[in-house]
Amino acid sequence: MVEVDASLMSRMVLRLLRQIMAEEGPTDGKLAGVVKLIAEKTSSDVCSCYVMQEDSVSLELFATHGLDARAIHSTVLKVGEGIVGKSAEKRSSMPVSDAWTHPDFSYKPETGEDVYHSLLAVPIVRGKRVLGVLVVQDKIQRDYVDAEVETLETVAMVLAEMFTQEEFISYRRSIKGAYIERKIKCVSLGSGYGLGRAVLRTPRPKISHVIASDIGTEIIKFTIGYDKMIASLEDYKKLDKGEHKDIMEAYSMVANDKGWKNKIIAYIKEGLAAETATEKAYQDMWERLSGVDNQYLRERIHDLRDITDRLLQFLIYGKIGATHKELPEHTIIVARNMGPAELLDYDLTKVRGLVVEEATPTMHVAIVAKALNIPLVCRVGDGFAKIADGDEIGVDGGSGHLFIEPSEHIRKEFYKWFAEKKKLQDKYNKLKNIPSKTSDGVDVKLYLNVGLPFDYDYIKRTGCDGVGLFRTEIPFMASAKMPTVEEQTEFYGNLVKVLKGKRLVFRTLDVGSDKVLPYWDKVKEENPAMGWRSIRITLDRPSIMSKQLRAMIRATSGGELNVMFPMVSNVSELLEAKEILQNEIAKETEAGNEIPAKVNVGTMIEVPSAVFSLKDILKEVDFISVGTNDLAQFVFASDRANPKLQDRYDTLSPAFLQIMKKIIDEANDAGVTASVCGEMAGRPLEAMALLALGYRNLSMSGSQYGAVKSMLLSLSLGDLEKDMPKIMAINDVSLRKYFKDYAEVNQIDL
Ligand code: PEP
Ligand code: MG
């Protein structure tokens, strides 16, 4: 290797590299071209490229110019083994003047390296991922100067981009065993497995332009894109007075950071295209910040990721949001946060899994995902930023793991899981015609929670007793404008037809909090979950309630209408709602329209004050249904959408179970049917506890039905009821463990 000006050298090599990469032809040929070019341009006797294998500890020789070609795909070094392995382990360049005398040298005879002395190994790194090692060797013993090391590091940086492109990934796949797989522990919000290509909600455009053809042009391009991005943030801040404004303030701070901007310009000056330089500057920052133990700084990495993505969009497309594209056949949606309406925007027939970093189990996006049987994981942590658009992702909702670029071995595991799931589904399908009775003969009614027509499938498949909760707001959220009475009547009528006389419980519009209607201005509230939502909105805007009730009356004319009101806090709200209902019935009768033969009114119990007004409420209703998702958030004062609180409180705690017991006891005393329709009812262990407290009506998402029914059939309720006083008397924060032990000892199918 001869000494030259690093920056000049880098630029020359990069220009030639760009030509090689742009050429048509197989990837191994391109890689061979790259090592040959580097050997020639750096006047080195050897240039080789090692690629990290699927186990993340082995580096396989993929291309060489100068060593024995037979060693390609045969020579393997472990991370930490030899100078090459050490350089990967330390993630730093290692210039060695005489490899033979170096304590780390590992001689590989099949490469024919006997005659070479000096060696420079440079890791190919993206983020914290070592993707390979680039090596040059020389016959003579010599010291490498900084400029030479820098040149090779710049080339390694370009190779890192090449290695993450689709073309190279397919090539790597075609070579047995050569994968770069990441396995990341995360939290599962529903069982199930999904395999597909990552589609980032904040689209991160693919970078295909790696090397600058003209540095001046790239700097101008960067400046224009950067200014546009900053202006877009300013516009956003002016427009939005709400919570987004704070987010945008934080973004602006990050985006205006001089260090970041200068770093990008420095990379462009080294010869990288503006978009590659931007991504590289992000990777550097990520590397620096991801290790720090400061929550605030770590959160800034997420901001920086979003800002980088925005800038990339301006650089590549000239504007934001231009990347909307067809979903791959098997898609994994990746988002930091997401409302249920946004999920419904996607073509769900193609969505195989979700990664929603900040999701919690009772957040509506999680509930909708569960209803759709889409596996969802959250809290991926640092791994979140490692997912690139188009990466193959495996979502393991069983053990709570996420795989980026899974190996053939792991993919096989996924196919095995798909087969097992099918087997379990077949088992559950067979339960369809078995009456839902416990093993000691207690009848339990099992209903479904439904929202969209996707859920209707389960009605036929499960043989359920009907629909215990029709979340009518979901179609409202999924359409572009408020549905008319006629549209609502048709929508409700369709479900009535599907149910063929089985019980159907309509819930009136329950929007607000995280259920946002796209056509309503978002109102800024300090505490939206405790704010203007649900019945509070529909009582303040009675025409919405009247129209909805009219549609329900029409959809069930001549039949039975069961309607319940959500988020009721006291009797007077219930009476107000009942009056609107009576008025609508009267109006329909006056108009000569047929009304339902029977109307039953119910209320959800999901606000603590309703629990303590229950005796009065029970006098006014035909049935009640406990919404444990909201009730638990208010009882524990614990936001159901806050991931930090997710594991803090348990519905199987003595406190919560006492409340659930009070509700069922009072309902039984009043002769009013009580059911549970929160997520608690759809979890076999929790459902078992609810049965033991006295509940006989449970309503759950279709995907949970089989598991709950299976538990029910294996449960001798009388025996558990005998043990209940003992279990309930245990002084512990959660009784989960004791219910689990009971189930295990008594062989209850959980
Ligand atoms: C609940 O709160 O438990 C419930 C069923 O309603 P939602 O989840 O739709 O708020
Ligand atoms: Mg609720």
Side-chain angles (χ1 to χ4, degrees):
M1 205 165 173
V2 290
E3 217 173 293
V4 284
D5 168 30
S7 149
L8 195 72
M9 183 67 175
S10 297
R11 264 181 272 150
M12 184 174 69
V13 174
L14 289 178
R15 189 169 47 78
L16 294 166
L17 266 182
R18 189 159 61 92
Q19 280 171 9
I20 293 177
M21 286 180 182
E23 276 164 17
E24 292 287 319
T27 311
D28 55 349
K30 284 187 193 175
L31 206 55
V34 168
V35 288
K36 182 164 182 277
L37 171 81
I38 297 165
E40 283 173 3
K41 294 296 161 199
T42 59
S43 305
S44 302
D45 297 323
V46 173
C47 178
S48 312
C49 182
Y50 290 82
V51 174
M52 185 69 82
Q53 289 197 30
E54 70 168 301
D55 55 4
S56 294
V57 289
S58 313
L59 292 152
E60 180 176 315
L61 182 66
F62 260 52
T64 185
H65 177 81
L67 295 182
D68 191 327
R70 284 169 298 183
I72 294 174
H73 299 311
S74 142
T75 293
V76 174
L77 284 154
K78 293 277 174 225
V79 170
E81 181 193 354
I83 300 166
V84 171
K86 262 281 178 291
S87 154
E89 186 181 67
K90 296 202 301 195
R91 276 192 285 132
S92 64
S93 302
M94 286 186 62
V96 173
S97 56
D98 186 6
W100 290 94
T101 59
H102 194 279
D104 288 320
F105 183 58
S106 165
Y107 170 53
K108 294 284 173 188
E110 71 279 12
T111 62
E113 62 183 337
D114 311 50
V115 292
Y116 303 109
H117 285 269
S118 62
L119 186 153
L120 168 58
V122 174
I124 301 166
V125 181
R126 196 163 193 269
K128 281 194 174 162
R129 254 156 106 172
V130 177
L131 307 180
V133 178
L134 189 63
V135 182
V136 289
Q137 288 171 274
D138 278 295
K139 284 185 181 145
I140 53 163
Q141 285 183 32
R142 59 180 299 258
D143 293 323
Y144 292 95
V145 297
D146 289 351
E148 291 167 322
V149 177
E150 270 168 38
T151 300
L152 222 59
E153 283 175 348
T154 309
V155 173
M157 195 167 79
V158 173
L159 285 180
E161 293 307 317
M162 176 185 176
F163 281 11
T164 47
Q165 295 196 352
E166 192 66 40
E167 186 188 341
F168 188 80
I169 292 169
S170 318
Y171 161 61
R172 216 181 52 208
R173 285 243 164 83
S174 68
I175 293 164
K176 197 176 149 289
Y179 286 95
I180 302 168
E181 171 193 282
R182 314 287 302 168
K183 179 179 180 182
I184 300 162
K185 182 76 193 123
C186 53
V187 173
S188 164
L189 294 183
S191 53
Y193 304 90
L195 197 60
R197 296 256 158 224
V199 171
L200 304 190
R201 190 187 142 218
T202 307
R204 192 171 307 153
K206 273 242 167 320
I207 299 172
S208 48
H209 188 193
V210 177
I211 301 157
S213 18
D214 178 80
I215 288 172
T217 315
E218 284 305 305
I219 290 187
I220 293 169
K221 187 172 106 183
F222 166 71
T223 313
I224 295 173
Y226 179 82
D227 289 348
K228 275 190 188 168
M229 190 264 294
I230 295 285
S232 77
L233 293 180
E234 290 305 319
D235 286 349
Y236 213 123
K237 274 200 289 185
K238 269 185 239 144
L239 276 178
D240 197 355
K241 307 255 176 297
E243 66 186 286
H244 287 113
K245 191 176 174 192
D246 303 336
I247 297 173
M248 286 300 142
E249 272 316 336
Y251 275 20
S252 270
M253 253 174 60
V254 176
N256 283 298
D257 182 88
K258 289 247 172 344
W260 177 61
K261 188 178 172 191
N262 290 340
K263 197 154 210 161
I264 300 176
I265 294 174
Y267 279 132
I268 297 175
K269 284 185 177 160
E270 276 183 27
L272 291 186
E275 46 267 52
T276 310
T278 302
E279 181 62 28
K280 175 82 181 131
Y282 163 76
Q283 298 288 350
D284 287 356
M285 202 79 114
W286 182 80
E287 185 133 336
R288 264 192 23 226
L289 292 182
S290 60
V292 295
D293 206 17
N294 175 313
Q295 170 89 8
Y296 176 80
L297 284 179
R298 287 162 70 94
E299 275 169 12
R300 296 288 74 76
I301 305 176
H302 290 307
D303 293 344
L304 188 65
R305 181 69 263 174
D306 285 357
I307 292 289
T308 302
D309 291 341
R310 276 178 167 260
L311 179 53
L312 286 176
Q313 292 210 24
F314 279 111
L315 292 174
I316 295 173
Y317 305 109
K319 59 180 178 181
I320 217 101
T323 52
H324 190 75
K325 53 174 186 195
E326 273 247 326
L327 293 185
E329 258 330 286
H330 300 265
T331 295
I332 306 286
I333 306 282
V334 181
R336 251 179 95 180
N337 214 325
M338 190 192 258
E342 287 158 290
L343 171 58
L344 298 172
D345 277 346
Y346 289 100
D347 176 355
L348 295 170
T349 58
K350 294 182 174 168
V351 178
R352 303 286 180 264
L354 285 170
V355 181
V356 181
E357 179 62 5
E358 291 168 7
T360 64
T362 55
M363 239 168 102
H364 286 104
V365 69
I367 294 175
V368 173
K370 191 184 274 181
L372 295 168
N373 221 351
I374 302 174
L376 164 63
V377 293
C378 64
R379 294 208 262 158
V380 178
D382 291 347
F384 185 75
K386 289 184 189 142
I387 307 171
D389 217 18
D391 273 356
E392 182 164 48
I393 302 287
V395 171
D396 168 4
S399 69
H401 279 100
L402 180 93
F403 294 87
I404 304 176
E405 293 296 333
S407 63
E408 200 49 46
H409 167 70
I410 292 295
R411 298 164 106 236
K412 277 191 186 135
E413 287 294 302
F414 268 88
Y415 293 126
K416 245 201 268 165
W417 287 325
F418 295 151
E420 274 165 23
K421 189 179 162 197
K422 171 138 193 343
K423 232 164 87 190
L424 202 62
Q425 203 50 59
D426 290 346
K427 174 184 148 183
Y428 293 156
N429 289 347
K430 289 200 186 102
L431 305 180
K432 179 180 168 181
N433 297 320
I434 302 176
S436 48
K437 268 186 206 306
T438 59
S439 68
D440 54 342
V442 180
D443 273 321
V444 177
K445 294 259 182 282
L446 295 184
Y447 298 99
L448 295 183
N449 295 345
V450 305
L452 279 170
F454 293 99
D455 302 324
Y456 300 179
D457 228 27
Y458 285 112
I459 297 172
K460 294 174 210 147
R461 284 214 327 243
T462 55
C464 62
D465 289 295
V467 166
L469 169 63
F470 181 17
R471 284 193 168 96
T472 57
E473 60 279 358
I474 296 186
F476 278 75
M477 287 156 59
S479 61
K481 59 176 190 33
M482 181 78 97
T484 61
V485 173
E486 290 69 33
E487 283 163 347
Q488 290 186 54
T489 309
E490 191 187 337
F491 192 77
Y492 303 154
N494 287 341
L495 180 56
V496 172
K497 270 189 226 135
V498 174
L499 278 162
K500 296 190 180 127
K502 284 184 179 175
R503 182 177 164 85
L504 165 58
V505 179
F506 289 92
R507 173 173 77 180
T508 60
L509 200 61
D510 184 23
V511 291
S513 193
D514 69 332
K515 289 189 266 191
V516 188
L517 296 184
Y519 37 90
W520 269 2
D521 285 343
K522 195 165 184 267
V523 192
K524 159 88 178 145
E525 292 184 287
E526 283 301 323
N527 296 298
M530 296 193 285
W532 195 55
R533 57 175 287 207
S534 197
I535 197 167
R536 300 165 185 184
I537 296 180
T538 50
L539 287 180
D540 287 353
R541 301 267 186 278
S543 80
I544 300 173
M545 171 97 91
S546 318
K547 283 182 187 156
Q548 208 190 7
L549 291 170
R550 199 177 313 154
M552 290 175 188
I553 294 166
R554 289 181 184 171
T556 55
S557 65
E560 183 177 288
L561 170 61
N562 302 297
V563 57
M564 67 178 175
F565 302 103
M567 281 289 288
V568 166
S569 307
N570 53 45
V571 191
S572 88
E573 284 175 343
L574 174 62
L575 294 178
E576 240 184 285
K578 275 177 77 173
E579 198 180 319
I580 300 175
L581 175 64
Q582 287 313 329
N583 283 344
E584 282 308 312
I585 293 174
K587 273 198 242 162
E588 286 297 294
T589 315
E590 242 169 67
N593 295 336
E594 190 185 7
I595 57 161
K598 192 161 192 304
V599 178
N600 298 312
V601 177
T603 180
M604 288 193 69
I605 302 296
E606 45 188 353
V607 181
S609 63
V611 177
F612 294 94
S613 325
L614 202 55
K615 287 204 171 66
D616 294 331
I617 288 175
L618 289 167
K619 288 180 200 147
E620 295 295 334
V621 292
D622 302 294
F623 65 93
I624 59 167
S625 188
V626 190
T628 49
N629 305 336
D630 274 312
L631 185 59
Q633 87 163 332
F634 299 128
V635 164
F636 293 116
S638 167
D639 183 354
R640 68 194 258 187
N642 188 334
K644 291 196 187 84
L645 304 175
Q646 192 188 311
D647 305 321
R648 188 172 278 267
Y649 306 105
D650 193 352
T651 48
L652 288 181
S653 67
F656 198 71
L657 292 177
Q658 289 300 349
I659 292 173
M660 294 304 287
K661 181 161 163 42
K662 171 177 159 57
I663 298 170
I664 188 65
D665 287 350
E666 287 184 22
N668 284 343
D669 290 347
V672 172
T673 307
S675 64
V676 180
C677 63
E679 295 309 293
M680 195 180 174
R683 298 191 192 114
L685 191 71
E686 281 85 333
M688 181 185 94
L690 290 170
L691 294 178
L693 291 177
Y695 287 90
R696 296 294 176 264
N697 296 275
L698 302 176
S699 192
M700 66 214 69
S701 137
S703 56
Q704 297 301 110
Y705 188 95
V708 172
K709 185 157 182 184
S710 194
M711 176 280 296
L712 176 83
L713 298 176
S714 65
L715 172 72
S716 168
L717 189 53
D719 291 341
L720 174 58
E721 279 172 338
K722 273 189 224 129
D723 276 26
M724 269 308 262
K726 247 191 342 223
I727 299 177
M728 291 290 279
I730 296 170
N731 184 11
D732 206 338
V733 282
S734 167
L735 301 179
R736 181 168 297 277
K737 173 162 99 228
Y738 310 97
F739 282 115
K740 255 196 189 149
D741 287 349
Y742 182 91
E744 202 177 311
V745 171
N746 293 280
Q747 293 178 354
I748 293 158
D749 196 2
L750 288 181

